[in-house]
Amino acid sequence: MQLAKAVAALTGPLHRFLLARGLPPSLAEDLVQETAAQALAAEETFRNEAAFFTWLCTIARRKMADHFRRQRGTRKVASLDGTLRGRLVLYSTERLPGETVEHEETRAFVRQCLSRLSDQYALALQLKYVEGWPVRRIAETLGRSESATESLLTRARERFRTIFLASLQEGGE
């Protein structure tokens, strides 16, 4: 439970860490989510030999390297530095501009709604719907029973729905 709170508290600094490496914001957000999920799943591997944030940054750097390694096979650009090459590969596989704008607006709206939830609700929804974790794994990670986790997810979904609908109405006025 304490690890989940520590990870949640460091998602902002971790996002800025990835942005400082030249990643597009949407990719940085995805890698923060992947990093948080892996950190929660690998809690026992943290040995307190380094600062917790340093451990998270190490996981994030590996996630970033894995991402670009997977992208490497799609298209190669000769004689460009790694950062520019990675960006070009990433942009070559993304949606068309209109679809990208719509997708980014939707993601931003959902992030805004999630940010208005309690940390516990936001983390539970992220693990379930972004990471695709089964309830049993979420329960183990959060130190809860499966039935308590189901209840938590139900309350989190209802709260998200309320915030989402209220935000839609605020935006329409």
Side-chain angles (χ1 to χ4, degrees), residues 49-67:
E49 294 175 354
F52 185 68
F53 184 68
T54 303
W55 183 62
L56 286 177
C57 289
T58 300
I59 295 170
R61 277 194 302 271
R62 290 180 181 152
K63 291 286 181 189
M64 185 171 61
D66 289 345
H67 171 81

Side-chain angles (χ1 to χ4, degrees), residues 118-138:
S118 70
D119 290 344
Q120 191 173 37
Y121 283 179
L123 179 60
L125 291 175
Q126 179 179 340
L127 293 175
K128 178 69 176 164
Y129 297 104
V130 175
E131 300 303 324
W133 285 15
V135 173
R136 174 176 286 152
R137 186 172 176 193
I138 297 169

Side-chain angles (χ1 to χ4, degrees), residues 16-73:
R16 288 188 294 279
F17 169 81
L18 291 168
L19 289 175
R21 269 117 196 101
L23 296 180
S26 62
L27 177 58
E29 290 167 17
D30 291 343
L31 293 179
V32 166
Q33 292 172 1
E34 290 178 27
T35 299
Q38 183 172 341
L40 292 173
E43 176 178 3
E44 64 277 352
T45 65
F46 179 63
R47 298 182 304 258
N48 278 326
E49 294 175 354
F52 185 68
F53 184 68
T54 303
W55 183 62
L56 286 177
C57 289
T58 300
I59 295 170
R61 277 194 302 271
R62 290 180 181 152
K63 291 286 181 189
M64 185 171 61
D66 289 345
H67 171 81
F68 287 116
R69 209 174 287 120
R70 284 189 306 270
Q71 295 293 322
R72 188 180 298 150

